[in-house]
Amino acid sequence: MRRALRLAASGPWPDPNPRVGCVVVAAGGTVVGEGFHDGAGTPHAEVGALRAAGAAARGATAYVTLEPCSHTGRTGPCTDLLVAAGVARVVFAQSDPNPDAAGGAERLQAAGVQVSAGVLADEAAALNARWARTVVLGRPLVTWKLATTLDGRSAAADGTSQWITGEEARADVHELRATRDAVLVGTGTALTDDPRLTVRMPDGRVAPHQPLRVVMGLRDLLEGARVHDGPGTVVRLVTRDPREALDSLWHKGVRDVWLEGGPTLAAAFLRAGLVDDVYAYVAPALLGAGRATVVDLGIHTIADALRLRLVDVAVVGGDVRIHAVPARDDATTDLHLPERP
């Protein structure tokens, strides 16, 4: 199973599908097939492992990090493939939290396959924690990134905001941007700051993989806006409603959003309870006036403050990075990005 977990970690995130690994072991203990899921639209881990095993899969044991699926999506049910291959036993780590795909264990047992569940379940769950959270929520996860002075300003009185934080912090932001599949701002930020929203390397080069660059709001962008420069795709969402925006992105396959909008857009997501992570980059600087980091949240007394639960604090160059999550009942504090092998 540990080998299957290492294989699973080779799969991509973000992705609409979970990261899954499979190892097929013959009756004598010899590994005869391995596979992992390489993202939406590619064969499932079981498919790759059974193809590699061929006839040797008959009477073998399949170790899978996630309960084999029992539904038909882009591909047929993996349970049917395992039965057809003559696998005698299936051992899986994590039960599938997706109700549309769950039920594989019962289907295998009904076909006479021996099933064992829960082997290294915690490790498997940790690998797919962010994906599982999106399944529960039915929407993409949202990480709000902000850069602020010690007195809570995101721009000076004259509107300038480049740069509040130092070069090291900005490079750190680009590393984290690259781990999401969409970067989202509002038309206000797009018109005021004219950002590119690309992921750039420390030397300034544009990274080969680019998240979707998403701008939401009702105003038109300026002709020649820099958001259209560079590789990748730009998505315009003509709405001010955060839920409508996330629903649209969900149906485009987006599962992890990096929110870099200004104080108005951030407040809209916070008021709607649609922020799951916060990365605050705090510069040891004071402005005394200027644009606040976030506008009115409808909070009028300290007892109603939107409290955050601290996850991590780090010094990044000359600035401080604070990672926190909303301290609400349904929040999860262990949604760390999955490690790659």
Side-chain angles (χ1 to χ4, degrees):
M1 186 62 77
R2 291 199 183 279
R3 174 60 183 164
L5 285 166
R6 287 194 294 271
L7 288 167
S10 301
W13 179 261
D15 193 81
N17 294 341
R19 304 203 293 177
V20 182
C22 178
V23 177
V24 179
V25 180
T30 302
V31 173
V32 294
E34 296 182 341
F36 69 90
H37 185 51
D38 201 21
T42 67
H44 288 190
E46 298 93 324
V47 175
L50 290 172
R51 284 176 180 171
R58 186 160 298 279
T61 297
Y63 294 85
V64 193
T65 57
L66 185 68
E67 179 182 8
C69 65
S70 63
H71 78 302
T72 299
R74 294 186 182 181
T75 60
C78 289
T79 50
D80 291 358
L81 292 175
L82 290 163
V83 171
V87 169
R89 181 175 178 231
V90 172
V91 180
F92 68 85
Q94 182 187 12
S95 297
D96 198 325
N98 185 351
D100 293 333
E106 291 82 359
R107 192 161 176 167
L108 288 168
Q109 288 172 328
V113 178
Q114 183 182 349
V115 176
S116 299
V119 177
L120 301 182
D122 290 344
E123 289 89 335
L127 185 70
N128 281 313
R130 295 185 75 81
W131 168 81
R133 182 67 172 160
T134 67
V135 171
V136 171
L137 294 173
R139 63 164 175 81
L141 293 174
V142 177
T143 299
W144 175 39
K145 169 263 171 183
L146 64 144
T148 180
T149 60
L150 282 175
D151 53 348
R153 302 295 176 179
S154 63
D158 65 354
T160 56
S161 61
Q162 295 182 334
W163 298 101
I164 288 176
T165 56
E167 184 177 341
E168 293 91 341
R170 298 197 298 275
D172 192 65
V173 168
H174 281 274
E175 287 187 15
L176 287 169
R177 267 187 189 178
T179 63
R180 270 62 176 186
D181 49 0
V183 180
L184 174 63
V185 300
T187 50
T189 294
L191 293 168
T192 301
D193 296 341
D194 194 20
R196 286 177 287 180
L197 301 182
T198 53
V199 173
R200 296 182 292 281
M201 311 289 280
D203 61 3
R205 290 182 297 114
V206 176
H209 169 72
Q210 294 293 321
L212 292 179
R213 301 193 292 281
V214 184
V215 182
M216 65 175 287
L218 303 183
R219 288 181 285 177
D220 292 331
L221 299 181
L222 295 176
E223 186 175 349
R226 293 200 303 170
V227 72
H228 294 293
D229 295 342
T233 303
V234 177
V235 175
R236 276 287 285 121
L237 301 177
V238 186
T239 180
R240 290 176 176 168
D241 184 342
R243 292 190 184 278
E244 184 178 337
L246 291 182
D247 184 65
S248 178
L249 292 175
W250 176 267
H251 287 94
K252 294 180 186 296
V254 171
R255 294 297 181 268
D256 223 334
V257 173
W258 184 256
L259 176 65
E260 290 201 18
T264 301
L265 188 63
F269 274 81
L270 288 164
R271 286 195 302 267
L274 295 175
V275 171
D276 305 288
D277 285 277
V278 177
Y279 277 89
Y281 292 82
V282 183
L286 299 170
L287 285 172
R291 187 172 64 194
T293 301
V294 65
V295 299
D296 184 16
L297 294 175
I299 297 170
H300 304 292
T301 178
I302 193 66
D304 295 333
L306 198 167
R307 300 288 180 179
L308 303 178
R309 186 178 300 122
L310 194 62
V311 176
D312 179 66
V313 178
V315 176
V316 182
D319 306 299
V320 175
R321 183 191 68 202
I322 299 172
H323 178 200
V325 296
R328 54 180 184 256
D329 291 341
D330 67 338
T332 304
T333 60
D334 60 354
L335 296 180
H336 302 297
L337 289 173
E339 296 293 331
R340 295 201 178 273

